[in-house]
Every structure is written in structure tokens, then in C-alpha cells.
Amino acid sequence: MSIPALGLGTFRLKDQVVIDSVRNGLDAGYRVIDTAQIYGNEAEVGQAIAASGVSRKDLFITTKIWIDHLAHDRLIPSLQESLHKLGTDHVDLTLIHWPSPNNAVPVSEFMGALAEAKRQGLTRQIGVSNFNIALLREAIAAVGASEIATNQIELHPYLQNRKLVEFAQSQGIHITSYMTLAYGKALQDPVIVQIARNHQATPAQVVLAWAMRLGYAVIPSSTKRENLASNLLAVGLTLSEAEMTQIAALDRNERLTDPDGLAPAWD
């Protein structure tokens, strides 16, 4: 299996808002849905999927294990609860959402439990999120690099995370970019706006096409039906080498997500 290039994120979307977003996304043609235990919307995502009429075999569903559930005896029961909420007997990808603060639960323990969840058929692939190089090394030592499908990290034109990306890719670990549009900041960038004009595209399409061209998966979210449909068109947008270089030059190590007590020491 591989990680699909473009999916629908549901971070910060709750209740009817997330139901509408997932319904509209599935109507527009999305088949990849990214959620998480801590988002508090798995049941609503499941409700929208059930109402959509889209066959489960055509969907790629990701969820993430929250830090309260990392202990060996809690991880699998928490994933089973997520499956119940989502209305499915398995997900396609399960990630560790954040590493255990202060290493309260060792990496080897929760990666071992995650690998066991895969053996039990609860998830088809496993991976991590918000892991730095040191933590990735520990995860690799625990289960092997070939078992880690992706590292989902903050990555956008202003935070290109090249050191971490290079290490992950050297191990065959795919990168999934979250916050790819930098909370919308990148959409106002003059360089990106000009490239969008060159292609008669939207700035969002340009940024998403940039990330996918680099081999990353992207999971933008939107509550607007027209934006959901528009973002899908990024798959068909090809940027020139010069345009890729222009966006590469926007990197300024500007991190937008760095929660105290949760974030590791970033590379």
C-alpha cells in the first residue's frame, strides 16, 4: 500500500460542520479522510461516510492515537473505540499523534502495540506524527522502517523541514504534510499569488501542487464546497523547476504548531 497524495483533513471541524465538510468532500470526489481521537469528531465523520453511499473499499481512512492511550494495554482498546465511532472494522492508517510527553510511555511500547493492532487487522498501515529524527530512529528500532508508512508533520512553504524530510525519506518513510497552507498565510504570499496567476490557478492549488511535487501527501481541510472541489484540481497542476525554486526560497523555519509539554525538540 501507499499513502494517497491528496486527502481531506478534519482538524478543528466539529459536529454538523465536520459532517457537512466530509459529505461535500465525498461528493466532490475525495476518498481519503484524515481524523484523530483528540479531534472529537470520529463519530460524525463515520456518520457522514455512512450517509454518503461511498463503498468502504473505495475509502482511505486515517485516525491517530492520542497520548492518553499510548500505554500497551490502552492503545488497542482506544483504536477499537475509534473504529466503533467511525462505523468500520478497520482503518487504513493509524498514527501515533504525538510522542509520549517526557517519554512517559516508551516509543518501543506504543509502537509495539500499534504493530499488534496491525497484526489483528484493526489497521492496514501504521505510522507516526510529529516525530523528530531521534524519535523516528527509536520507532525504526522498535518495528522496522518498512512498517512505518508515514510521518505526518507540519510542513508548508515557510517551514520546509528539510533535515527531517531527508532522514525520513532515506529510510523509505513517506512524509504527510499538515497545515500545508500555513493557516492560510501562504495564500497571501506575493510569490505564490504570482505563480497562481501564471497558471490561472488558485494560491491553494499552487501550494498543494508544490508539496505533492516533492512527494508529500497533503490533507487540507475546508468548510466550503467550492474550495474542496478547487483543491482537488491541484493534482493536475504542474509547476516549473523555476517556480519550485521560488517556493523553496520562502522557507524561514516558521513553526505554527509547537504545544508546550507535547512537542519534541524539533530538528
Side-chain angles (χ1 to χ4, degrees):
M1 285 187 69
S2 60
I3 308 295
L6 179 58
L8 180 65
T10 62
F11 178 51
R12 290 186 168 171
L13 305 184
K14 294 282 188 76
D15 306 322
Q16 192 61 43
V17 173
V18 77
I19 291 171
D20 291 344
S21 177
V22 172
R23 185 190 70 236
N24 289 334
L26 292 170
D27 283 351
Y30 287 85
R31 292 296 179 263
V32 180
I33 310 292
D34 181 282
T35 183
Q37 293 175 343
I38 198 64
Y39 295 175
N41 64 15
E42 288 173 315
E44 288 78 10
V45 168
Q47 182 181 331
I49 288 171
S52 73
V54 176
S55 172
R56 175 65 185 91
K57 68 180 175 58
D58 295 328
L59 294 172
F60 188 102
I61 303 172
T62 298
T63 195
K64 310 179 196 79
I65 306 292
W66 188 241
I67 57 170
D68 294 345
H69 306 144
L70 293 179
H72 194 276
D73 61 347
R74 298 187 67 174
L75 190 148
I76 286 177
S78 83
L79 179 55
Q80 289 169 327
E81 184 178 343
S82 291
L83 297 180
H84 177 72
K85 290 176 179 176
L86 287 162
T88 183
D89 63 357
H90 74 282
V91 286
D92 300 278
L93 176 64
T94 303
L95 306 179
I96 299 298
H97 203 153
W98 287 89
S100 185
N102 301 313
N103 201 36
V105 180
V107 173
S108 59
E109 179 175 335
F110 60 68
M111 291 306 297
L114 197 56
E116 177 59 30
K118 180 180 175 182
R119 284 192 289 272
Q120 291 184 19
L122 304 177
T123 183
R124 296 179 72 188
Q125 297 188 87
I126 63 174
V128 298
S129 180
N130 298 302
F131 272 39
N132 62 14
I133 292 173
L135 288 161
L136 270 184
R137 288 187 191 280
E138 287 191 61
I140 290 166
V143 298
S146 63
E147 280 294 294
I148 303 169
T150 195
N151 184 17
Q152 185 177 124
I153 55 174
E154 178 185 346
L155 194 152
H156 46 76
Y158 304 133
L159 179 72
Q160 297 186 25
N161 243 322
R162 291 191 184 102
K163 187 177 177 184
L164 176 55
V165 167
E166 186 177 329
F167 175 76
Q169 291 179 336
S170 77
Q171 302 299 307
I173 297 171
H174 195 70
I175 292 293
T176 301
S177 157
Y178 73 77
M179 220 173 282
T180 317
L181 306 179
Y183 277 147
K185 290 176 69 171
L187 308 185
Q188 316 298 323
D189 191 283
V191 169
I192 289 164
V193 169
Q194 184 56 55
I195 294 171
R197 286 199 192 105
N198 295 347
H199 290 271
Q200 295 182 306
T202 67
Q205 288 166 356
V206 168
V207 177
L208 296 172
W210 162 79
M212 287 187 284
R213 169 82 177 274
L214 291 171
Y216 313 147
V218 293
I219 44 170
S221 64
S222 180
T223 57
K224 296 180 179 175
R225 192 181 184 99
E226 59 270 26
N227 289 347
L228 289 165
S230 175
N231 288 347
L232 271 179
L233 300 176
V235 173
L237 177 59
T238 302
L239 304 182
S240 70
E241 290 298 335
E243 289 165 338
M244 293 294 291
T245 300
Q246 284 180 284
I247 298 175
L250 298 177
D251 191 14
R252 56 194 188 208
N253 200 35
E254 182 180 345
R255 190 174 296 280
L256 302 175
T257 303
D258 193 19
D260 285 343
L262 202 54
W266 302 111
D267 296 300

